[in-house]
């Protein structure tokens, strides 16, 4: 999906919500466990229930890989089921030497057919650039993550006082363009989002950490907004596990709509939609 | 596999060779492409041919994932086929928030049944520690990688002049022990191996980059050796693609044996074996 198409979707759905499909057999409703592919059945129902309120879906690979071959089947079926007008992010956090990263690019863009994949920057340029060779596909580089461990290395300052996450942003922004590169910026560090926005004014951010991890949507919008919205805000557990009963899809729909309405309010306030 | 068992294998096989199973359909012998699972058939033949000369195998996940479900089937069959006395490393370079990393630990240690998995350190402590909760399983943290992109961030110095890769070593070494943590240290940076050895005298290193990437085994042994050997040196392309004809397994055996003999020489020189 192109940047223009993504922005059109945000305008048309009045939403910049990404629904995280962190589907865990121990958390989904019991009645689904009797079906042949409970993960896919759950995802299908969640996608049907939420697709009017979000512009993106983000399956996190770990939740599928832990079931091995069967998990990858569920993942492939899920990606295939997501409607054309939704942006699909493989939250896989890959990154290897250039010769190997090109196989990961093939995995996520050709085999699975996702629009974007998250990538860890530690191995540098040749670990990221193979993903940039696919037209209309995206790399989403980890910059400032939402977890406690982000403090271990991402805030390490160099001799000039510059934090590692800023160096990552400045360097990786040069490898691609705002048409094929986004950054992961955690909602739990709202002031950090503002710092990131100063360095990369034009890029989209994928923002995890709203909801279960404690980040606030208002803060994210205040600190991260740009002229094209520039934000995809993810919510996983708060939506998909809103209920673990027979009404799980309906409750997920309600939660997704609640966030969409907050987003619509923000989009109007910013003058992005009428 | 425990550290003691690994060291016993090194003594008994007179080798610290790890064979990298970076199996690529475009590089394997044409006659295998007619079989039902060419990747597994290739790996099977390579394992049979080399198992006397190596102590570890390292399938790199990218080469399997790019074939989707079918690739994971080949990977699972390959891991299942590797003999009990060999250490199995999933070269997957994972790393996510703690809640998610635990699913990756499950993937590689329970579902696939590997002994170790490579992990990227960018997301910090909670992205690494879930892997340390499995007895006799290992996390292999990227410290100093063999690729050109290593220069982008790993050598960033802080206010005291300390490089990022050293900070990564010092911090991550505290999260685990030399019984469950190793480090990736690229053979292409021999002087770096010496620096790393000073910081973590007791840990094993997984050393890629000998052979196709240009690193020297002698240098690796000179700079990286410790009292328990402390080295697993990987070779992928140089062994598995020694020939792409009908004789591929025999040629792989010859190449593996060649390296094993060099290693035997080193192990004797160091007084590790009689």
């Amino acid at each position: 999906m192109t940047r223009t198409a993504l922005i059109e979707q945000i305008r048309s759905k009045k939403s910049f919500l990404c629904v995280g499909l962190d589907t865990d057999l121990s958390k989904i409703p019991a009645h689904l466990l009797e079906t042949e592919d409970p993960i896919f059945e759950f995802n299908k129902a969640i996608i049907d229930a939420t697709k009017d309120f979000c512009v993106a879906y983000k399956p996190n690979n770990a939740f599928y890989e832990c079931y091995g071959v069967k998990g990858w089947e569920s993942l492939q079926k899920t990606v295939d089921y997501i409607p054309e007008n939704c942006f699909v992010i493989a939250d896989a956090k890959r990154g290897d030497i250039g010769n190997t990263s090109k196989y990961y690019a093939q995995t996520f863009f050709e085999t699975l057919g996702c629009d974007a994949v998250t990538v860890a920057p530690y191995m540098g340029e040749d670990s990221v650039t193979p993903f940039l060779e696919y037209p209309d596909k995206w790399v989403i580089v980890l910059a400032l993550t939402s977890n406690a461990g982000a403090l271990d290395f991402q805030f390490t300052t160099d001799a000039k006082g510059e934090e590692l996450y800023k160096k990552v942003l400045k360097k990786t922004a040069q490898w691609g363009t705002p048409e094929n590169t986004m950054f992961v910026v955690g909602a739990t560090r709202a002031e950090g989002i503002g710092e990131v926005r100063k360095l990369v004014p034009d890029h989209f951010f994928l923002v995890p950490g709203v909801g279960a991890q404690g980040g606030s949507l208002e803060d994210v919008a205040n600190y991260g907004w740009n002229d094209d919205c520039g934000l995809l805000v993810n919510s996983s557990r708060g939506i998909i596990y809103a209920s673990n009963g027979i009404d799980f899809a309906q409750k997920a729909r309600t939660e997704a709509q609640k966030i969409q309405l907050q987003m619509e309010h923000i989009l109007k306030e910013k003058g992005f939609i009428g």
Side-chain angles (χ1 to χ4, degrees), chain A residues 125-145:
Chain A
E125 184 167 3
D126 61 278
S127 70
V128 174
T129 47
F131 296 97
L132 300 172
E133 286 167 20
Y134 286 76
D136 304 338
K137 300 288 186 182
W138 298 73
V139 67
I140 308 183
V141 180
L142 303 184
L144 191 56
T145 60

Side-chain angles (χ1 to χ4, degrees), chain A residues 113-166:
Chain A
C114 298
D115 293 292
V117 58
T118 55
V119 170
Y122 191 74
M123 294 184 68
E125 184 167 3
D126 61 278
S127 70
V128 174
T129 47
F131 296 97
L132 300 172
E133 286 167 20
Y134 286 76
D136 304 338
K137 300 288 186 182
W138 298 73
V139 67
I140 308 183
V141 180
L142 303 184
L144 191 56
T145 60
S146 57
N147 63 326
L151 298 172
D152 288 319
F153 305 118
Q154 294 167 28
F155 288 89
T156 300
T157 51
D158 68 10
K160 293 177 195 151
E162 185 176 67
E163 294 94 342
L164 178 64
Y165 79 89
K166 292 186 181 169

Side-chain angles (χ1 to χ4, degrees), chain A residues 14-52:
Chain A
K14 303 178 174 56
S15 169
F16 45 99
L17 174 61
C18 174
V19 173
L21 299 170
D22 298 0
T23 309
D24 180 339
L25 285 184
S26 71
K27 288 187 185 153
I28 70 177
H31 71 279
L32 291 177
L33 298 177
E34 292 150 27
T35 63
E36 203 196 305
D37 186 344
I39 293 179
F40 176 60
E41 290 304 324
F42 178 82
N43 288 350
K44 203 157 148 292
I46 293 286
I47 292 164
D48 287 341
T50 59
K51 66 184 177 191
D52 296 337

Side-chain angles (χ1 to χ4, degrees), chain A residues 83-241:
Chain A
E84 274 296 306
N85 67 354
C86 294
F87 190 77
V88 186
I89 300 164
D91 194 359
K93 302 187 173 72
R94 297 301 198 262
D96 207 310
I97 64 170
N99 176 56
T100 303
S101 266
K102 75 179 187 200
Y103 291 90
Y104 279 131
Q106 191 182 324
T107 303
F108 295 105
F109 298 154
E110 294 184 42
T111 307
L112 271 175
C114 298
D115 293 292
V117 58
T118 55
V119 170
Y122 191 74
M123 294 184 68
E125 184 167 3
D126 61 278
S127 70
V128 174
T129 47
F131 296 97
L132 300 172
E133 286 167 20
Y134 286 76
D136 304 338
K137 300 288 186 182
W138 298 73
V139 67
I140 308 183
V141 180
L142 303 184
L144 191 56
T145 60
S146 57
N147 63 326
L151 298 172
D152 288 319
F153 305 118
Q154 294 167 28
F155 288 89
T156 300
T157 51
D158 68 10
K160 293 177 195 151
E162 185 176 67
E163 294 94 342
L164 178 64
Y165 79 89
K166 292 186 181 169
K167 192 175 294 284
V168 165
L169 284 161
K170 285 156 78 174
K171 277 214 176 186
T172 56
Q174 290 169 0
W175 301 335
T177 71
E179 309 287 323
N180 64 12
T181 307
M182 298 188 186
F183 295 102
V184 173
V185 189
T188 48
R189 307 186 194 289
E191 71 302 336
I193 302 178
E195 291 294 303
V196 175
R197 185 46 88 204
K198 279 187 223 155
L199 290 173
V200 283
D202 299 325
H203 288 73
F204 262 81
F205 300 164
L206 170 64
V207 186
V210 164
Q213 291 184 58
S216 128
L217 181 61
E218 291 297 326
D219 283 350
V220 170
N222 283 336
Y223 287 103
W225 184 265
N226 74 9
D227 287 349
D228 287 332
C229 175
L231 296 167
L232 291 176
V233 172
N234 185 75
S235 176
S236 304
R237 290 169 264 177
I239 292 175
I240 70 174
Y241 300 131

